[in-house]
Amino acid sequence: MSIFHKKQKQKDTKQPGLQFLGYYVRRRTDREWEWYCTDGAWHPAAADMPEKKMWQTKEEFEAQVSDSGKPPVYDKQWADTEGRVCSLGWQMFSNKLMAHAFGGMNGKTYHNTKEALLHGVENGYQYFEADLSYTTDGRLVLCHGWTEANCRHTGLAWQPDFKDMTYRRIRSMKVHGNPVMDAREFAKWMKQHKEYTFEIDFHNISGRDVKKRIQALLSDFGGKKNQDLLDRLLIQAYSRRMFEDMDAVYHFKHYQYLVGENIHDLDNIITYALDHGICVLALRMNLAKPALVRKIRNAGLYVMCYTVNKDLAAAQKLLDSGVNTLCTDFITEEMLLNNKERMGKHPFYVYYNSGAKDAKSHYAPEDGSAVERVGSGNWEYKDQTVWENDGKRSLQKCRYTLEGKTFAGWKLRVRVDGKQLWYCTDHMYHGSGDLKPGKGTEPYLFRDGEVIPEWTLEHGMKLIMVAVWE
């Protein structure tokens, strides 16, 4: 019997503010989990799977379905106060934003300080990520760490003997000018402010190292007598071994599994998460393709995406694709709301750039359109046709030629908030410094005549199609 099935026997209680909707039913096969869907068949999690059937009672399912195989699992479904569907006990994941290391402050990140926490509260965050590090004398402190690389993030002046960091020494230091908080102070603050929840990151460790940290956390939080505090934590695991080592010390209510670069193993990770009661998968933002997000959501798991710094367009695109929570340094709910009022499925223009100074243009200006040399020296056909944002129109055929070269397609460039961004294969926009071939952040190559999908844009935004030559 899996750990997950053992945990299912724990008492199930309703959280305040949730409206019960019914049950989704799943079963475990030898290979994976399957869900009973509205087409009357069982289906494994997939981006395009049929809609799962909602049952009002367990008895209703048992009376109508006789081929469930192994004992089915009944997942209660609830609607929160905003109508979003969530599974029991997972209401904390209705938060769209999680403040990374308590959120950015004064233009800097990786704080984890009380000052940053209070600043994050002022900015409206209710969900925070916190990094816990362990001193050589056995104390937990809120700090991203003190390796040479971490010190570049935190503003600490690194010294080689930091590997022997003691509690007293780290407490005498300041991260970006503010004192380091320890786990006991953190627990005390949580007890006084019950409306906030936290993801805890111990980083990628396992075995005795992580077990000692869990034991220290339990001690600092007052153990099982303060279970309500522990239940407001989401504990992140980087591997199966790390999860099992932590869970052997104490079974937390909420676990998150960091997928990281292991997206190729997603099917096995989903199965493992469901087997062991892990409720969230964490994806790098450049790997959070819409189809993968839908697959994870259809498996009844939540998706957390990291780390979105200031890019509102990327943040909204991820949320629109089904991502539950974004870990961010600077984006706030107010910024998202203002951006949503500004950005939408508005009409737009498409301009065609030659991509080379020596290219020849064969465009015929018409209806107010023009062909002009731009600052780079390239030709640009400024088509004044207004594109309705309906996902039905196609790009014009390329009417540039370049001697000795063959037209390969178009790269899409836009300007948002004064920044030049490229549309990439991860279906998001990135600046030139973030373009990484083979990592999902290389510019997407549009074919001649390709249909342009619906976009989230400012009204009247110009999409610049830049010719690529081979």
Side-chain angles (χ1 to χ4, degrees):
M1 181 180 289
S2 71
I3 295 174
F4 177 84
H5 283 118
K6 291 178 182 177
K7 303 304 185 217
Q8 284 295 102
K9 295 180 180 178
Q10 293 181 351
K11 186 177 180 182
D12 214 6
T13 57
K14 180 187 176 210
Q15 285 196 18
L18 296 180
Q19 177 186 0
F20 175 69
L21 299 176
Y23 300 90
Y24 288 141
V25 183
R26 57 187 164 101
R27 69 179 183 182
R28 181 70 156 88
T29 69
D30 291 338
R31 295 181 55 220
E32 59 197 352
W33 286 91
E34 296 179 334
W35 284 260
Y36 195 84
C37 295
T38 53
D39 65 350
W42 296 91
H43 294 272
D48 56 352
M49 69 186 288
E51 183 181 353
K52 289 180 279 192
K53 184 173 176 59
M54 185 82 74
W55 302 88
Q56 292 304 303
T57 66
K58 298 177 183 179
E59 291 74 19
E60 180 187 10
F61 170 79
E62 291 164 359
Q64 295 187 37
V65 181
S66 59
D67 65 338
S68 60
K70 294 181 180 179
V73 172
Y74 298 90
D75 286 334
K76 286 187 176 181
Q77 302 298 310
W78 305 80
D80 66 12
T81 53
E82 296 186 22
R84 294 171 295 206
V85 176
C86 59
S87 296
L88 183 63
W90 300 355
Q91 191 178 10
M92 64 196 294
F93 312 120
S94 292
N95 292 287
K96 292 180 182 178
L97 301 177
M98 171 196 292
H100 176 230
F102 294 162
M105 184 172 65
N106 301 326
K108 299 185 187 314
T109 59
Y110 293 88
H111 288 269
N112 288 296
T113 61
K114 187 172 183 180
E115 286 72 17
L117 176 57
L118 297 177
H119 182 262
V121 168
E122 288 179 5
N123 279 331
Y125 295 109
Q126 290 191 303
Y127 194 19
F128 299 84
E129 185 261 357
D131 301 281
L132 267 64
S133 294
Y134 195 62
T135 65
T136 54
D137 47 352
R139 293 292 302 275
L140 279 177
V141 294
L142 277 74
C143 182
H144 202 266
W146 34 79
T147 65
E148 188 172 5
N150 284 331
C151 287
R152 286 196 291 270
H153 291 306
T154 59
L156 296 175
W158 179 79
Q159 300 292 329
D161 64 347
F162 275 13
K163 66 180 183 297
D164 298 318
M165 184 68 71
T166 63
Y167 173 76
R168 182 176 180 179
R169 186 178 187 186
I170 190 62
R171 291 278 280 170
S172 70
M173 297 179 178
K174 293 187 176 182
V175 172
H176 299 315
N178 294 303
V180 173
M181 181 164 53
D182 68 26
R184 294 175 188 175
E185 292 174 285
F186 177 41
K188 182 178 179 181
W189 191 92
M190 280 187 64
K191 188 176 288 189
Q192 294 168 346
H193 302 84
K194 298 182 179 180
E195 62 270 43
Y196 302 104
T197 50
F198 298 84
E199 182 223 308
I200 300 299
D201 191 352
F202 290 104
H203 300 158
N204 193 5
I205 55 176
S206 58
R208 188 163 173 256
D209 287 338
V210 75
K211 288 181 178 180
K212 288 191 296 185
R213 287 157 175 75
I214 296 297
Q215 289 164 348
L217 178 69
L218 295 174
S219 174
D220 290 341
F221 273 59
K224 294 183 179 180
K225 68 179 181 181
N226 285 328
Q227 186 175 337
D228 60 324
L229 288 184
L230 299 173
D231 286 351
R232 286 160 52 203
L233 303 179
L234 172 69
I235 307 297
Q236 177 158 272
Y238 284 67
S239 66
R240 292 162 172 80
R241 183 186 172 192
M242 182 176 178
F243 165 76
E244 290 165 14
D245 286 337
M246 292 190 296
D247 203 55
V249 178
Y250 179 82
H251 175 68
F252 291 91
K253 186 173 184 179
H254 304 297
Y255 284 103
Q256 173 172 286
Y257 193 98
L258 186 84
V259 176
E261 299 287 351
N262 298 314
I263 201 72
H264 61 278
D265 197 34
L266 182 60
D267 288 344
N268 290 328
I269 291 172
I270 287 174
T271 300
Y272 184 84
L274 292 168
D275 281 347
H276 295 83
I278 296 168
C279 49
V280 189
L281 298 189
L283 301 182
R284 290 180 181 271
M285 60 178 287
N286 64 304
L287 296 178
K289 294 180 170 56
L292 297 180
V293 172
R294 288 197 302 273
K295 183 173 188 173
I296 295 168
R297 294 293 308 276
N298 283 338
L301 301 171
Y302 285 79
V303 179
M304 190 279 283
C305 219
Y306 64 98
T307 301
V308 186
N309 192 284
K310 297 178 180 178
D311 192 338
L312 280 165
Q316 193 59 58
K317 191 170 185 68
L318 287 165
L319 291 170
D320 290 345
S321 75
V323 169
N324 297 91
T325 304
L326 299 177
C327 185
T328 180
D329 293 303
F330 295 105
I331 295 173
T332 64
E333 289 272 7
E334 183 179 6
M335 291 166 66
L336 282 176
L337 179 61
N338 292 338
N339 185 65
K340 199 156 190 176
E341 292 175 352
R342 179 170 64 102
M343 307 287 283
K345 298 292 191 288
H346 299 302
F348 57 91
Y349 296 92
V350 176
Y351 290 0
Y352 299 86
N353 186 292
S354 65
K357 298 178 184 178
D358 298 331
K360 293 183 178 180
S361 171
H362 305 281
Y363 286 90
E366 54 189 20
D367 299 327
S369 301
V371 184
E372 301 175 355
R373 291 279 189 185
V374 292
S376 63
N378 297 349
W379 288 107
E380 196 161 277
Y381 174 57
K382 299 186 176 184
D383 188 354
Q384 294 303 301
T385 304
V386 178
W387 284 54
E388 292 302 323
N389 207 332
D390 56 9
K392 297 179 180 178
R393 291 201 51 177
S394 303
L395 293 171
Q396 290 192 25
K397 294 287 186 180
C398 179
R399 298 180 193 173
Y400 296 113
T401 56
L402 183 61
E403 187 175 353
K405 299 288 185 179
T406 301
F407 174 74
W410 304 98
K411 295 190 297 184
L412 170 57
R413 188 183 73 217
V414 297
R415 185 168 289 277
V416 179
D417 295 332
K419 294 187 296 183
Q420 182 173 281
L421 304 173
W422 296 91
Y423 181 73
C424 292
T425 52
D426 62 355
H427 306 293
M428 291 189 288
Y429 294 107
H430 295 277
S432 297
D434 297 328
L435 304 182
K436 298 179 181 178
K439 295 292 186 181
T441 53
E442 62 270 27
Y444 180 88
L445 197 64
F446 288 86
R447 303 183 308 276
D448 232 5
E450 184 168 341
V451 174
I452 296 292
E454 291 183 295
W455 301 89
T456 300
L457 301 168
E458 288 181 320
H459 185 77
M461 182 176 278
K462 300 170 181 65
L463 307 185
I464 312 298
M465 292 291 173
V466 181
V468 177
W469 303 94
E470 293 179 345

